[in-house]
Amino acid sequence: ALHRALRLLARPVRAASGRGGFVLQPYRGYGSREEVFLIGRVFHQPTFGSDVRGETVRRLLVELARRLLSWGVADAVLIARFYGTEQRLTTDRDGYFRVHMGPARPPSAERRWHPMELELIEPTGILAAGDVFLPPANSRYVVISDIDDTVVETGVANKLLMLWRLFMQGARSRTAFPSMTALLQALHDGRSGNEVNPMLYVSRAPWGIYEVLDEFYRLHRIPIGPILFLREWGLT
């Protein structure tokens, strides 16, 4: 049980990668052919214990400690590039940044997910790529769905149960509400079956479980889309 709990708690640290302990992490974005929006974060995590290998309890304890000791990097400077447009950005006090800009040249009409190049300049140099969803011209509407107790069973009315499910359960241990996958897929496909209507998901959960939610959506074959309005949870 300890091994499983540590494995779940340390997962966001193991998935992250950066240089010198700094991590540039973009989340999925969305937009139109005229403007796009993407959220991301710059944070720093300790580099101790990187030589410990395997799925041992020692390794998981080290990664859990790295996660607990990580912090968002305020006032970090980065540049976002998207189809000929550049935007210089600065992170907020928790290390988050928001890209909102219009492409200088028309994005490719053949693809739905488009890469956004991100380059961290200060305090160190890191390159990353974010994904931005642009719907086709035949899309008819945008689907905005809650996540907690709508798509995935969270138990928001019971705070202790909610916290257990948020932080201790992985994607395979979480329960999807019956028929929600079929409903969301039908809304995504539209009446014609090929509308590719964009999906936006909102939650009040912390950004730290973003990777778990992403894995949950893929596991249950729920239409992928940006997950927005997550927030930063601290000791208060």
Side-chain angles (χ1 to χ4, degrees):
L2 174 62
H3 188 277
R4 179 175 176 271
L6 289 173
R7 184 171 181 270
L8 292 174
L9 288 170
R11 180 182 300 171
V13 170
R14 299 208 319 276
S17 61
R19 180 185 302 171
F22 289 93
V23 179
L24 173 55
Q25 182 179 30
Y27 306 111
R28 281 192 298 269
Y30 67 97
S32 66
R33 297 177 67 83
E34 289 75 36
E35 58 182 333
V36 296
F37 179 74
L38 179 141
I39 296 176
R41 192 187 189 201
V42 178
F43 63 94
H44 184 275
Q45 60 188 18
T47 58
F48 59 79
S50 57
D51 57 335
V52 181
R53 305 298 180 185
E55 287 283 334
T56 63
V57 172
R58 180 189 174 195
R59 170 69 183 272
L60 294 172
L61 283 171
V62 166
E63 290 176 339
L64 176 58
R66 290 173 62 199
R67 179 186 177 190
L68 294 175
L69 295 174
S70 66
W71 68 89
V73 180
D75 300 321
V77 179
L78 63 152
I79 294 178
R81 301 182 179 92
F82 189 77
Y83 284 96
T85 299
E86 286 192 1
Q87 186 178 76
R88 189 179 180 91
L89 305 162
T90 304
T91 58
D92 64 17
R93 66 178 184 177
D94 294 314
Y96 293 95
F97 62 88
R98 290 161 177 80
V99 182
H100 188 187
M101 63 181 179
R105 59 179 185 271
S108 171
E110 303 299 323
R111 59 193 308 174
R112 300 293 167 256
W113 290 95
H114 301 255
M116 175 181 290
E117 180 183 333
L118 299 168
E119 181 181 4
L120 182 64
I121 300 175
E122 296 178 6
T124 186
I126 301 175
L127 291 175
D131 292 320
V132 178
F133 180 84
L134 301 185
N138 61 313
S139 292
R140 296 179 56 240
Y141 46 75
V142 178
V143 181
I144 304 176
S145 172
D146 185 29
I147 297 177
D148 309 305
D149 283 340
T150 301
V151 178
V152 56
E153 186 176 349
T154 307
V156 292
N158 186 325
K159 300 303 182 185
L160 290 178
L161 179 62
M162 179 192 70
L163 291 173
W164 171 266
R165 286 173 172 164
L166 277 176
F167 295 107
M168 300 303 292
Q169 286 190 332
R172 296 183 179 275
S173 302
R174 293 169 182 256
T175 303
F177 276 90
S179 303
M180 276 305 297
T181 297
L183 174 61
L184 292 171
Q185 187 64 56
L187 291 171
H188 179 61
D189 294 340
R191 183 176 298 179
S192 67
N194 62 352
E195 292 176 4
V196 197
N197 297 306
M199 313 294 291
L200 298 179
Y201 300 99
V202 298
S203 173
R204 296 184 67 191
W207 280 107
I209 68 164
Y210 180 90
E211 290 84 357
V212 176
L213 288 176
D214 184 48
E215 183 181 349
F216 174 86
Y217 271 56
R218 297 181 187 279
L219 180 65
H220 291 275
R221 298 182 179 180
I222 299 172
I224 298 298
I227 300 175
L228 302 173
F229 307 148
L230 279 76
R231 55 184 180 170
E232 182 67 11
W233 281 18
L235 293 177
T236 57

